[in-house]
Amino acid sequence: MFDAWLDAVTSEDTAKLDALLADDFVMTSIRSGNTYDRTTVLDWYASNTNEVTECLFEDDSILVLQGRDTNGDGETHAYMDYFEHDGQRITSAKVVVAKAE
């Protein structure tokens, strides 16, 4: 799953990301408690520069990544994503984001 995710993010190909997310995919921000649906997450990836820096853990159902992103305002943030997946598609995610210096 990591290789597919990395390819989709680094190629900035929203169609590849779309194919990886389950139809009912939801991402939850651990800090704010806000939830984001699939469409919102795809829009976010399409409008931000994203760099996956490391795969921290991967098994048959979990993928944990860390990275950095830069939004349209030039602000850079560090993040950690915790993905649950079924081996084919990512079913849910939790994310922690912090402003990077």
Side-chain angles (χ1 to χ4, degrees):
M1 184 60 65
F2 174 68
D3 291 335
W5 181 258
L6 184 62
D7 178 51
V9 170
T10 58
S11 71
E12 299 180 11
D13 186 341
T14 307
K16 287 182 181 180
L17 286 172
D18 186 41
L20 285 176
L21 301 181
D23 294 338
D24 58 351
F25 171 85
V26 174
M27 178 178 272
T28 303
S29 168
I30 292 173
R31 292 181 74 193
S32 70
N34 293 336
T35 59
Y36 307 95
D37 65 14
R38 181 176 189 214
T39 301
T40 303
V41 170
L42 289 170
D43 289 346
W44 182 86
Y45 275 101
S47 62
N48 291 280
T49 301
N50 196 331
E51 174 190 356
V52 176
T53 56
E54 187 175 3
C55 177
L56 301 174
F57 179 79
E58 180 176 18
D59 71 7
D60 293 340
S61 63
I62 303 295
L63 177 61
V64 181
L65 308 173
Q66 71 179 25
R68 300 172 82 80
D69 67 62
T70 304
N71 66 23
D73 295 331
E75 294 177 332
T76 299
H77 298 85
Y79 66 84
M80 184 177 294
D81 288 331
Y82 174 92
F83 295 112
E84 293 180 0
H85 65 86
D86 62 11
Q88 301 297 315
R89 299 181 87 191
I90 297 171
T91 56
S92 68
K94 293 181 176 65
V95 62
V96 177
V97 179
K99 186 163 182 170
E101 296 185 56

